[in-house]
Every structure is written in C-alpha cells, then in structure tokens.
Amino acid sequence: RRADIATWQQRMRDRGWMISVDGRFGAQSARIAAAFAAEKGIASGALGQVDAVMWNAAWTSPIT
C-alpha cells in the first residue's frame, strides 16, 4: 500500500469516480486512470498509468 496511490484514488473519488481507496494500484485503478485519460484527452494515461501529467490533471482539470 502506498500513500501516493491512496491520495490519487481519493482525489478521483472526490471527482465522482467510483473507486476504492486502498492504496493499491490494481485493475480498478488502472480502468479509472484509462477512462479519465480518455475523457481528458491525455495520451500518456491511455494504458491506465498515472504519470505526472495524469497526476496534475486530477487536481487541475475541470470536473465534467
């Protein structure tokens, strides 16, 4: 379990995504990351990974 993962998961939950906050980046987190990337047009997140671009978008992109 990682605190940074739990922070990202909580942020996504706060944005309205149905995601468990457990600090583990598993299949559910990867699906949410890929869906968020597709929604926001972030190519780097298309494979369900959270890099710096994805991380920043979780805090700066408008909630749609």
Side-chain angles (χ1 to χ4, degrees):
R1 295 180 185 201
R2 292 179 38 183
D4 59 337
I5 294 171
T7 298
W8 179 82
Q9 290 169 330
Q10 184 61 55
R11 180 60 180 164
M12 298 309 289
R13 187 177 185 89
D14 292 346
R15 291 180 63 99
W17 295 87
M18 298 299 295
I19 185 171
S20 298
V21 179
D22 61 7
R24 296 179 185 191
F25 198 89
Q28 180 187 51
S29 293
R31 281 192 304 275
I32 297 296
F36 179 72
E39 178 183 290
K40 300 302 179 192
I42 303 170
S44 66
L47 298 177
Q49 299 174 353
V50 178
D51 61 4
V53 174
M54 288 281 289
W55 181 274
N56 290 334
W59 275 266
T60 60
S61 294
I63 296 174
T64 54

